[in-house]
Amino acid sequence: MTNASREPKPLPTWDPGTWRSYPAAQQPTWPDSDELEKVEKELASLPPLVFAGEARELRSKLAAVSRGEAFLLQAGDCAESFDGFNANAIRDKLRVILQVAVVLTYSSGVPTVKVGRIAGQFAKPRSKPTETIDGTELPSFLGHMVNDVPFSSGDRTPQAARLLRAYHQSSSTLNLLRAFTKGGFADLHRVQAWNQEFVGSSPEGRRYERLAAEIDRALRFMEAAGISSQHPEIHEADFYTSHEALILQYEEALTRRDSLTDDWYDCSAHMVWIGERTRQVDGAHIEFMRGVKNPIGCKVGPSAAAEEIVALCDALDPGREPGRLTLISRMGADAVADRLPPLLEAVRDAGHPVVWACDPMHGNTFTSDTGHKTRDLDDILAELAGFFAAHRQVGTFPGGVHLELTGDDVTECLGGGDAVATDDLGKRYETMCDPRLNARQSLDLAFRTAELLQQRT
Ligand code: PEP
Ligand code: CO
């Protein structure tokens, strides 16, 4: 081999639109390309939803996660909805995420980096592009950013105007999140008030109340000892947004050049991720993501080969920068012990300082006898335990969890302290897409994760 052939190939030039020359999986067939183009132009003229500096701040926190100095909690809806959009639902979701975070931080002693699947999580990849009922075939529901749930041709036809509505709903969601997290709601002095009534009466709710009382006592002790607890770290929470970057026209239109660094950032969210179905290394999603400087995620399922994941890391993080890339393992409880360790080893041996997070939801979905798409909390906890065990075996850090949850008292996942049984699923099954943990099940999981984290070191 000559020296010349060993030199790395220069990367092809990138701009926010180069993805258009690559095959893009899971894209809707937009019926009106003029309309789509008009919407893209309008989106491109609207203000960014987040600032590059905030994305950089998250990136440096994720760098701490990659070193084992912090833990990532990424959580929220499977899909946000245009219907029933209101402040209370956002508040309750934030409340349960803050509760899970405080359980993790207090029990493990490491900071929790909080990232919502929120303010942009409106597009869904699907296992089949169309759905057939009684001989009628229509496009599958692809999230409210694209089309609607009812099975009619009008509802299922992609409408570009939905991209704008998604932007505006994201903007008002983000506005409210900023107010809640910086305006007193997330103050640790209010840790007891985050427990909702229906949670407080359950065993995990009472366990949370005991922990909250301890935090309260610690804060009062600080005051009594003359150490002020009036710090921004106590009064305010840092909360970041994320979603799957599926519809690339939307992401491109919100990608802006940062005036400070001249780098490109996808200003639709602080963090964006690539789904299990769109992570083809020569595909449009990887092409788009390689050029934006945000922290990015990539889902990794049980079919992933080690070389494939290392190639993904090389494409998305050639500079091996801590905090840039989070790999989100979603193997399923049965597969995690076999499938994950070889990937952990290969990525480590290739020198990529990634964050490894566990999504214990998407590999454990099944249809119940009652016809509901569901997940069993026992399987979810088993995958989490398997994820921690795999890291212990290889000597890498289990860096975080990625959850689908809601603050509402839904019955979508089975199990938990106040067990939801198969026959209960129909009672309050409200999700538009995948089944979410309710607030009690989320707390239960938080305590179990905290125990695993304590054993980590
Ligand atoms: C999701 O996170 O909602 C999702 C569709 O996940 P995955 O890409 O891992 O299937
Ligand atoms: Co989902």
Side-chain angles (χ1 to χ4, degrees):
M1 205 191 273
T2 66
N3 274 344
S5 68
R6 266 197 231 124
E7 277 170 23
K9 271 194 286 176
L11 284 170
T13 53
W14 182 95
D15 70 50
T18 48
W19 64 268
R20 290 173 190 263
S21 350
Y22 293 76
Q26 295 277 340
Q27 298 303 290
T29 310
W30 300 100
D32 184 343
S33 50
D34 290 346
E35 172 71 7
L36 177 63
E37 216 175 291
K38 228 171 78 197
V39 164
E40 287 176 68
K41 282 213 177 84
E42 184 168 346
L43 278 173
S45 73
L46 290 166
L49 290 171
V50 303
F51 296 117
E54 297 171 325
R56 273 195 291 277
E57 187 185 277
L58 174 58
R59 199 163 150 161
S60 79
K61 291 188 178 179
L62 290 169
V65 174
S66 75
R67 295 190 297 269
E69 295 161 10
F71 194 70
L72 167 66
L73 168 63
Q74 191 172 13
D77 268 318
C78 179
E80 287 173 273
S81 171
F82 288 172
D83 306 325
F85 169 55
N86 66 72
N88 291 355
I90 296 170
R91 179 200 60 203
D92 292 344
K93 199 163 306 147
L94 176 65
R95 175 138 81 171
V96 70
I97 294 174
L98 291 173
Q99 283 190 287
V100 171
V102 91
V103 168
L104 293 174
T105 301
Y106 192 74
S107 316
S108 70
V110 294
T112 305
V113 181
K114 297 174 277 298
V115 181
R117 285 175 64 114
I118 199 165
Q121 179 53 17
F122 290 104
K124 299 309 301 172
R126 302 312 299 258
S127 46
K128 295 195 198 82
T130 61
E131 192 179 343
T132 303
I133 298 182
D134 296 335
T136 306
E137 187 178 11
L138 291 175
S140 295
F141 171 57
L142 294 175
H144 270 167
M145 186 185 271
V146 177
N147 58 4
D148 209 349
V149 182
F151 193 76
S152 78
S153 163
D155 287 308
R156 290 292 175 90
T157 303
Q159 280 178 312
R162 288 178 167 272
L163 298 175
L164 281 169
R165 186 155 172 205
Y167 168 88
H168 289 294
Q169 186 166 318
S170 300
S171 162
S172 62
T173 302
L174 198 47
N175 183 46
L176 198 62
L177 287 170
R178 290 189 195 279
F180 277 137
T181 52
K182 302 294 175 193
F185 182 81
D187 191 326
L188 273 179
H189 291 92
R190 297 187 72 257
V191 69
Q192 283 167 314
W194 299 338
N195 225 4
Q196 297 187 72
E197 232 165 76
F198 74 90
V199 182
S201 57
S202 66
E204 52 277 19
R206 285 195 294 274
R207 193 169 170 190
Y208 177 80
E209 256 160 30
R210 288 196 293 276
L211 180 142
E214 278 179 39
I215 292 175
D216 209 43
R217 255 200 317 277
L219 290 174
R220 277 188 280 125
F221 170 76
M222 278 171 69
E223 294 287 353
I227 310 160
S228 170
S229 63
Q230 307 300 315
H231 292 287
E233 288 78 3
I234 289 180
H235 278 305
E236 300 175 1
D238 288 330
F239 188 83
Y240 301 93
T241 59
S242 71
H243 61 260
E244 176 172 350
L246 184 71
I247 306 298
L248 292 171
Q249 287 88 351
Y250 179 82
E251 306 302 333
E252 177 186 340
L254 287 165
T255 297
R256 311 289 162 84
R257 204 192 265 277
D258 174 30
S259 53
L260 215 60
T261 59
D262 240 16
D263 287 328
W264 291 99
Y265 281 84
D266 182 349
C267 297
S268 69
H270 300 111
M271 177 178 184
V272 274
W273 80 83
I274 306 168
E276 169 70 358
R277 296 171 184 82
T278 50
R279 60 170 170 76
Q280 300 77 16
V281 78
D282 49 3
H285 291 82
I286 301 288
E287 171 59 18
F288 174 75
M289 297 286 245
R290 80 176 171 88
V292 295
K293 282 281 186 176
N294 305 57
I296 58 178
C298 186
K299 295 287 196 88
V300 179
S303 66
E307 316 79 72
E308 193 186 341
I309 299 307
V310 170
L312 268 175
C313 293
D314 290 343
L316 294 170
D317 182 28
R320 292 167 167 72
E321 291 171 51
R324 158 69 172 168
L325 181 59
T326 296
L327 294 179
I328 307 161
S329 157
R330 32 89 84 223
M331 299 291 165
D334 293 339
V336 63
D338 272 353
R339 311 300 307 180
L340 187 55
L343 303 184
L344 301 179
E345 278 165 7
V347 170
R348 178 199 58 198
D349 295 348
H352 285 288
V354 304
V355 168
W356 278 102
C358 175
D359 164 0
M361 317 294 296
H362 288 88
N364 295 307
T365 317
F366 64 96
T367 304
S368 70
D369 294 343
T370 50
H372 294 95
K373 194 174 173 190
T374 190
R375 296 159 174 157
D376 193 317
L377 186 60
D378 285 342
D379 296 335
I380 292 169
L381 295 173
E383 176 156 359
L384 261 175
F387 174 80
F388 275 80
H391 282 279
R392 201 171 318 118
Q393 180 188 329
V394 176
T396 42
F397 285 117
V401 284
H402 182 114
L403 307 172
E404 289 183 343
L405 54 71
T406 170
D408 303 332
D409 188 15
V410 299
T411 53
E412 297 169 6
C413 290
L414 298 166
D418 246 341
V420 174
T422 304
D423 286 338
D424 298 323
L425 288 174
K427 287 185 184 156
R428 289 178 303 283
Y429 193 93
E430 294 166 12
T431 182
M432 245 193 359
C433 198
D434 288 341
R436 303 157 299 174
L437 298 170
N438 64 31
R440 278 191 300 240
Q441 292 167 328
S442 303
L443 269 189
D444 201 347
L445 178 142
F447 283 111
R448 303 287 280 272
T449 310
E451 281 157 21
L452 291 165
L453 256 176
Q454 281 164 338
Q455 295 156 14
R456 179 175 82 162
T457 43

